[in-house]
Amino acid sequence: MSSLSRSQLLQSATAFCDVFAQKKDLNVILSHFSTTHQVSAVEHGEKALAPFLGRSFEGLDGIRAYFETIAALLSYEDMEFSEFTVDTEARRVACKGKAKFTWNQTKESWDEMFAYLLDFDDSGKITHYQVWADSGAAYLARNGQLDKIRKGES
């Protein structure tokens, strides 16, 4: 496993996070994924809660499908990333993100903290993209129940 420096891994991770936060074109987002290694995206959570949760999207076509699904169902604003932790031996970067998300169909919104774990190839391109997020808020917003719960209604 050839090594990338801490600064190279950090630059690759922040560049990806920046283009996602800035809502760049999907092809720009996909350009941060490896074309020489198998790639995957997983947003951890219960599959039944949302179509993008709890399954692995494999290959560049799968990664495209994941981000297209996210874009069709959710919008976001004020996305920021912080607390980047770099593991040069594993070629892995973890970070914390925050944003305001809206479920497009119901227009219900929530502020969310989430975590990314990004694995990289020897060229600094993402091979494995993992997300841990507030799937409960997404599910409630999807079903138009989040605002009712906030108001103490059931």
Side-chain angles (χ1 to χ4, degrees), residues 72-128:
L73 298 175
L74 299 173
S75 58
Y76 56 89
E77 56 191 48
D78 302 324
M79 185 173 284
E80 298 177 7
F81 291 90
S82 62
E83 299 182 35
F84 288 84
T85 303
V86 179
D87 180 339
T88 55
E89 287 184 27
R91 289 198 310 242
R92 176 176 286 164
V93 177
C95 64
K96 184 168 79 173
K98 69 177 185 174
K100 180 178 183 179
F101 287 88
T102 301
W103 195 275
N104 293 333
Q105 186 176 359
T106 63
K107 304 298 186 223
E108 290 196 347
S109 298
W110 67 100
D111 293 321
E112 179 173 304
M113 301 289 287
F114 55 93
Y116 278 0
L117 187 61
L118 307 170
D119 291 296
F120 293 90
D121 68 13
D122 52 4
S123 299
K125 299 290 187 175
I126 299 168
T127 57
H128 193 49

Side-chain angles (χ1 to χ4, degrees), residues 11-24 81 84:
Q11 193 282 327
S12 291
T14 56
F16 168 75
C17 291
D18 287 348
V19 299
F20 188 66
Q22 296 165 10
K23 305 176 188 179
K24 297 289 186 187
F81 291 90
F84 288 84

Side-chain angles (χ1 to χ4, degrees), residues 37-64:
H37 292 71
Q38 179 63 27
V39 294
S40 64
V42 176
E43 186 157 341
H44 296 278
E46 169 55 49
K47 282 185 204 181
L49 298 183
F52 50 85
L53 289 173
R55 58 182 271 231
S56 186
F57 292 82
E58 302 287 335
L60 285 174
D61 288 342
I63 302 287
R64 178 180 292 280

